[in-house]
Each structure stands twice: as C-alpha cells, then as structure tokens.
Amino acid sequence: MQAKKRYFILLSAGTCLVLLFYFGGLQFRASRNQRRREEHGRNGLHSGPDRLWPRFPDALRPFIPWDQSENEDYNIQTSPRQKRDANSSIYKGKKCRMESCFDFTLCKRNGFKVYVYPQQKGEKISESYQNILSAIEGSRFYTSDPSQACLFVLSLDTLDRDQLSPQYVHNLKSKVQNLHLWNNGRNHLIFNLYSGTWPDYTEDVGFDIGQAMLAKASISTENFRPNFDVSIPLFSKDHPRTGGEKGYLRFNTIPPLRKYMLVFKGKRYLTGIGSDTRNALYHVHNGEDVVLLTTCKHGKDWQKHKDSRCDKDNTEYEKYDYREMLHNATFCLVPRGRRLGSFRFLEALQAACVPVMLSNGWELPFSEVIDWNLAAIIGDERLLLQIPSTIRSIHQDKILALRQQTQFLWEAYFSSVEKIVLTTLEIIQDRIFEHISRNSLIWNKHPGGLFVLAQYSSYLGDFPYYYANLGVKPPSKFTAVIHGVTPLVSQSQPVLKLLVAVAKSQYCSQIIVLWNCDKPLPAKHRWPATAVPVIVIEGENKVMSSRFIPYDNIQTDAVLSLDEDTVLSTTEVDFAFTVWQSFPERIVGYPARSHFWDSTKERWGYTSKWTNDYSMVLTGAAIYHKYYHYLYTHYLPGSLKNMVDQLANCEDILMNFLVSAVTKLPPIKVTQKKQYKETMMGQTSRASRWADPDHFAQRQTCMNTFASWFGYMPLIHSQMRLDPVLFKDQVSILRKKYRDIERL
C-alpha cells in the first residue's frame, strides 16, 4: 500500500515537471520571438511568419494632446529623428533663455538701444522688411553707434525663408557668419514671417541662428522658447507702415449680434499639411448664420487633385462677398493654413469679429503679454463640430466685451508694422529691465503698453488711466507752470496779475515760472508775495519744447499750463480744475482750436474761428497730467521737437496730437468766454508770436508734419463744453457757485 502511494506521488511530480517545462518553453519562445520582432521593427524590418497580427495601413493614431500636436502632414509618418534633423538649423539654441544666451551688460551701460546693420551693397530688401527696419530707425530705441547698442537687427532680409519664394535670400548662412558683430547671434533679433517650404513647411529658417532671438510668425508652442522668442502676427505686404486704419466697431450695438454668427471664406487644401481642418468645415456650414466657405480653385494643378465636393464648394464660394461677411459676423473662424498663422487673424481683429482659433499648437502673437482669452475663443481642431454650440452659449455681455477688446488690441498693437515692431521691442525691454516691467493690466487695458512707459514709474497710481481700477481719487492740488518769454519791466504786466490770480486758487500747490527770456532772471523782490511758493527756473536751451520737460520741481500730478499773457480769474482756474478731476487723462482748458481737411489742397488745415466744433485746447490755459510732460520728452522723436524749437511755434498742437493719440478722445473745453483775449499786448507787440504773419502758415505746416509722423490724424472733433451749474440761468447770482465767470 505504501509502495502504491509512493508510485502515485512520483508519477504526479513527473507529470507536473513535464507540464512546467512544456508551457515554460512556449512562453520563452514567444517572448524571444517578440523581442526579435521588436528588434527587427526598430531596424525597419518585418518578421514575416512570426507576425501574430496583420499590420493594417490605416491604423488609428494614438490621441495627442493639443499642445503636443505636430505640424507635419497628418498623412506622413515622421520619426523624431527626422523632425530633429529638419529643425536642426534653427534649434541648436533650443534651450536658450535670456539668462543663458543674452548679454545684459550691453544694456546696463546705455539703456535699451537697437542697432540696425547698414544695408550691404547689392542686397535686395522686401518692402515689408524695409518697413520693419524703418520702424526701428524711427523709434526712440534706435542708435547708429553699435558700441551703444543693446540689441542688433540684421539688414539682410530674413522675412521669407521659403525656398520657392522670389523673396528668398540665398547664401544667407555665409552672409550672416561674415558679419563682424554676429557673435554667434548673441543679442541679435531675427524677424521671420515665412519658414519652410512644400510639402512639410517646417519652421526651418535655413541658417543657423545661434543664440539669436526670433520674432517669428506662425511659431509653434513646441519650438517657441519662452521668455526668449517673440511670437508676431502674420501680416501682408500691404500692411501700413505707420498709423493704420482704425477698427470697424463704431457703435456698441446692444445686443451685440450681427447677421452671421460664424463665418469663414478661404482656400481648401486637398492634400498635405493643413488640409484636415479646412476639409471638414462643410460639416458645420448651414448656409444661414454659420457660413463657412472654401474653394479648391487655387494653385496651378488644382484640377488634378479635385475631389467630388470641389465644384459645389467653388459655386457656393462665389456667392458671398468676403468683406460683407466679415463686417456682418459676430465670430470669425481662424483655422490654420499651410502654416499655423493666418491673415484671417488680423482681419478678424480689425473687423471686431471675435476670432475663433482653430490652430492647435500655435503660440499666439505677443502671448507673453496679451491675454487672448479676453478677445478670442481658443478652439480645438479635433472638436470642430462643437464650435457652433459653444459660441451660441456665450452671453451677450461677454460677446460685447470680446468685441471691444479686439478693437483695443488692434489699434494698440497690430494696426501697423510700426506697432508690431515697437511691441516686440518693448517686450524685450521689459525682460531686460524686469524690475520696472509692465504688468498684465497695463498691456491688456487702454491705452496699452506702448504708451505707458515703465521708466516713468512702477506704480499704476502715477498714471492718469488707472485711478478707477485702483480706487484712487484724482489729485486735489495742481502746480501752475507759467511760460515766461518777456522781460519783467513793469509791475502791471499781465504775468504778475496772472500769478496773483492763480495763487489765490484753493487748489494751487505751487507756481513755477519757466524763464525762457534772453534777459537774466528778475530779482526775487520783483515777484509779488503769494500764499503758495513761487519757483523761478530757467528753461533748458530757452526753446519752446522746454515748457514740457518733466521738471523735478513739479510735485503734483496735475499741471496748469499757462502762457504769460493769459487772462484768467481765480474762479475760472478753480472751475477748470474741478472739471479736470473728472477727466484726468485729458486736456481741459479754455482756448480751443480746430482742424479740417482742405480737399482743394489735399492737406490738413488749422483754424482759430470760434465755432461750436473744436479738436484742440491750447496749452496757454489748460490743465493736464504731468505724465504727458514725460511722454512729450521721451516718446516723441527729436525731429518733431526740433521743428517746434526752430519755429518757436506749434508745441501746443504737438501736445494735443500726443494726448489724443494716447486717449483716443478729444480734449474738453470749459466755459466759453467771449471776452477772452489771446494776449493783452496787442498784435503789434514784438514779443507776441501771434503778431507774426507767418504764424498760421507755420501751424498749417506743423499739422501736416505731425500727422505724417503719427501715420494718421489723431485729433478728434468735439462739441461738448462744460459750464458751471446754473451758468447764465435766470436765477439769483448768489445761488451760483462760480459767480464771477458769468460776468466775464
């Protein structure tokens, strides 16, 4: 019995061993064959009979997050090595950041100055690139001395790096390497609109940029180097160099809905990169309030690739006018083209048509400073069918806010090549001088980053545009600045009477007399005794522009600018200042002038006729924020200020141009005084510039020169005049707060 048990146990153990070796061997061979197949697969070979499952040619791709999507043709499998090789010429400095690839010491010595290489003989430059260089050379950042420069810009045209383009510059690699200041691209900025070519349109610019920064259109988030590169918009060769057209939103219509909810009209690519999204638009098109039109009719051999929908699409495409659609749509679809960027982006912004972005992986223009969630809808190419329901769910208040923000961004940063270039430079400057850089509120709120100079102050309350945001009350005191050009020979001169009247104002903190007279400063006892300090300073170089220098002596934010022969009472000063406190970003004052377009001479005209319409308030009797002194001195070009100084004229016009350009608003005129006189000296006085017969001719010339530099006419007409309550009402004079104004 015991023998049988032992026999059974041995038999069972043997059977278990046999089964163990059998199944273990199968598993070992399977794993070995699997490893062999994997090795063959990596070597580009197929294992033939060892393959367990068939290899389908149209296998589904794995899901890729939108921020990791590739820019290559969806129908072409590209290995990581091929991608690296394709981009090797531009991304050798892939890890470059300001801290590692930029020499800050060049900027510490002389501030942020930009040097443009001199144009090389025989080198052709496209009109667009010439506009970029002209914008830099006309800016306050430009220097012609490379030893003073912080940033360098090539004169070689790098905008179009598509080898099939007629604008393509050949042998750029050797030309760049031969530049004696190149230094492997350190502290260099390269502008580029188009890169790569058919069929894959990679982001290769065709030469080694070294450690240079890229200001590039259609750049992907994958290749964008944060805090180093700058994403710029794609703009056409017809984009204005300066100024630019205003946005098309004229009135805030409520509700803010237009004829069409969503529109698009553009090319449809039948094959290659960028074709997938546009080929699917017909699924969303309903021909009513969602009108998405595409055409196959482009390129030389489009008929060779036409599909069954081409004829129908082309017919539908011809039925609609693009401009009519653009101006009558609430949302505009902005799908990617061959490259990530599209001209539709800027067109939608200008038209106050809220952009609906369908370009996965595109680093949006100036994304470092602009919050695009305030002006656009960021869609996903894979969720195209959900776009209509998404935009229909947006509340009307939100739509209105989005449309208003499109207009602000268009006019602040995108309406001209100059603004695009200056925004790029300002972003780089903020990186270099990070301790005084502008915050998101400044960049995304009127008047924008180009007009708010961080060198003036790092505190928002020092600018007149943010009082409401900060909950800060406007200043309660002003500094009077009297411009003196006439020798003090009599105690009855108008300047002394003016000084006494201003000093009696309850809002006056101090009086500064800017002495621009050729005669020496009068003795202190010649000035009348007042309750407020009177400071007499000599103007720099005794020129007209010196009246707008930001003197340290001006301790208040509010400035009352006065000519020496102005006639104002204390009551008028008080009333004007209380009005200014409600409009601290504007010029508020008494003497008004206007401009007009002279169609016969095709130029701007200047008039001093007393009408209900005005566009300027002269600084001979006006109140404004002292920040405009800083802007006048540091923002405006030397050429305009030199013109003012040479003519000894037009400084008041230039200040009005500047303030209207910043605020996009007219000045404010206060109570009309029919007894107001420009001067008490008479037209025959040799000291009065109003007696000069060339005075008005000079001002006409100034108007047109200033408009040329700004690129448009910033002055805005107004018919608003603010008077005291009960002014000229048939009630007792005792009931009126500003009683003396009515008697003047």
Side-chain angles (χ1 to χ4, degrees), residues 461-478:
D462 288 335
F463 299 91
Y465 320 109
Y466 309 109
Y467 291 152
N469 298 88
L470 300 175
V472 176
K473 291 183 178 181
S476 58
K477 297 285 185 178
F478 67 80

Side-chain angles (χ1 to χ4, degrees), residues 638-659:
S639 59
L640 298 188
K641 290 179 286 189
N642 290 337
M643 178 182 184
V644 165
D645 295 338
Q646 291 172 6
L647 296 176
N649 197 351
C650 303
E651 82 289 349
D652 46 2
I653 297 178
L654 184 54
M655 178 60 84
N656 274 270
F657 266 71
L658 175 63
V659 177

Side-chain angles (χ1 to χ4, degrees), residues 135-152:
I136 297 174
E137 292 170 349
S139 74
R140 67 183 187 281
F141 302 120
Y142 176 70
T143 178
S144 58
D145 183 359
S147 65
Q148 303 288 319
C150 162
L151 190 67
F152 299 83

Side-chain angles (χ1 to χ4, degrees), residues 383-589:
L383 303 177
L384 172 64
L385 298 182
Q386 297 182 17
I387 293 296
S389 59
T390 299
I391 61 177
R392 291 185 196 279
S393 67
I394 300 175
H395 196 272
Q396 293 180 2
D397 292 347
K398 177 66 173 177
I399 293 175
L400 180 59
L402 289 169
R403 292 180 64 190
Q404 290 173 336
Q405 191 69 1
T406 63
Q407 299 302 273
F408 160 67
L409 294 177
W410 164 258
E411 294 188 8
Y413 307 119
F414 298 107
S415 62
S416 68
V417 175
E418 180 186 51
K419 290 179 181 177
I420 293 172
V421 171
L422 291 180
T423 303
T424 302
L425 298 181
E426 292 281 7
I427 290 173
I428 296 173
Q429 181 181 220
D430 274 4
R431 296 172 183 169
I432 298 170
F433 302 100
E434 191 173 3
H435 61 291
I436 57 171
S437 61
R438 284 152 282 209
N439 60 25
S440 179
L441 176 64
I442 292 176
W443 284 104
N444 292 280
K445 183 175 175 56
H446 183 79
L450 297 187
F451 285 122
V452 178
L453 305 187
Q455 293 78 6
Y456 176 74
S457 176
S458 58
Y459 174 53
L460 291 182
D462 288 335
F463 299 91
Y465 320 109
Y466 309 109
Y467 291 152
N469 298 88
L470 300 175
V472 176
K473 291 183 178 181
S476 58
K477 297 285 185 178
F478 67 80
T479 295
V481 179
I482 302 176
H483 187 225
V485 295
T486 307
L488 197 60
V489 295
S490 170
Q491 292 300 311
S492 62
Q493 286 184 218
V495 64
L496 299 181
K497 295 180 180 179
L498 177 64
L499 193 149
V500 171
V502 172
K504 290 180 180 179
S505 170
Q506 59 181 314
Y507 305 111
C508 183
S509 173
Q510 61 176 346
I511 298 175
I512 295 176
V513 178
L514 181 62
W515 193 253
N516 268 347
C517 179
D518 295 333
K519 301 296 182 179
L521 288 174
K524 289 185 178 180
H525 70 273
R526 300 290 302 277
W527 302 101
T530 59
V532 298
V534 176
I535 304 171
V536 183
I537 59 176
E538 289 202 75
E540 291 189 14
N541 303 320
K542 304 292 181 72
V543 293
M544 294 302 297
S545 292
S546 65
R547 72 182 301 175
F548 296 136
I549 290 177
Y551 295 104
D552 294 335
N553 305 83
I554 303 176
Q555 298 176 354
T556 62
D557 285 341
V559 175
L560 171 60
S561 177
L562 297 164
D563 285 341
E564 63 177 7
D565 50 9
T566 298
V567 180
L568 283 180
S569 68
T570 304
T571 304
E572 290 174 301
V573 171
D574 287 348
F575 175 66
F577 182 70
T578 57
V579 171
W580 178 85
Q581 287 179 309
S582 298
F583 306 94
E585 75 281 10
R586 303 206 220 177
I587 298 177
V588 175

Side-chain angles (χ1 to χ4, degrees), residues 572-692:
E572 290 174 301
V573 171
D574 287 348
F575 175 66
F577 182 70
T578 57
V579 171
W580 178 85
Q581 287 179 309
S582 298
F583 306 94
E585 75 281 10
R586 303 206 220 177
I587 298 177
V588 175
Y590 286 94
R593 297 290 184 268
S594 187
H595 74 286
F596 63 94
W597 177 252
D598 189 337
S599 57
T600 58
K601 298 181 179 179
E602 294 188 346
R603 58 179 302 187
W604 294 106
Y606 171 90
T607 178
S608 61
K609 292 182 179 179
W610 283 49
T611 64
N612 291 329
D613 190 272
Y614 67 92
S615 58
M616 292 173 279
V617 167
L618 305 186
T619 54
I623 302 175
Y624 50 79
H625 198 281
K626 74 172 181 179
Y627 174 60
Y628 292 123
H629 278 201
Y630 189 87
L631 269 186
Y632 186 98
T633 303
H634 297 285
Y635 177 82
L636 294 175
S639 59
L640 298 188
K641 290 179 286 189
N642 290 337
M643 178 182 184
V644 165
D645 295 338
Q646 291 172 6
L647 296 176
N649 197 351
C650 303
E651 82 289 349
D652 46 2
I653 297 178
L654 184 54
M655 178 60 84
N656 274 270
F657 266 71
L658 175 63
V659 177
S660 291
V662 174
T663 62
K664 306 295 187 295
L665 294 167
I668 293 179
K669 176 174 174 52
V670 289
T671 311
Q672 189 91 346
K673 285 178 53 183
K674 292 186 177 180
Q675 292 85 352
Y676 182 87
K677 297 181 180 178
E678 296 285 359
T679 175
M680 294 293 291
M681 297 182 178
Q683 295 296 314
T684 59
S685 171
R686 298 176 64 184
S688 175
R689 52 179 172 156
W690 306 97
D692 186 350

Side-chain angles (χ1 to χ4, degrees), residues 90-158:
I90 113 179
Y91 294 113
K92 290 181 180 179
K94 178 70 175 177
K95 296 182 179 180
C96 267
R97 299 296 183 270
M98 295 294 290
E99 297 78 13
S100 58
C101 296
F102 192 88
D103 186 359
F104 287 86
T105 60
L106 297 181
C107 311
K108 301 297 184 184
R109 295 195 303 263
N110 305 299
F112 186 66
K113 294 296 182 182
V114 184
Y115 173 76
V116 177
Y117 283 83
Q119 187 172 349
Q120 299 181 13
K121 190 174 182 179
E123 289 291 342
K124 294 182 179 179
I125 297 181
S126 65
E127 182 180 356
S128 294
Y129 197 61
Q130 185 60 61
N131 287 341
I132 289 176
L133 299 185
S134 297
I136 297 174
E137 292 170 349
S139 74
R140 67 183 187 281
F141 302 120
Y142 176 70
T143 178
S144 58
D145 183 359
S147 65
Q148 303 288 319
C150 162
L151 190 67
F152 299 83
V153 176
L154 304 179
S155 63
L156 297 167
D157 192 342
T158 57

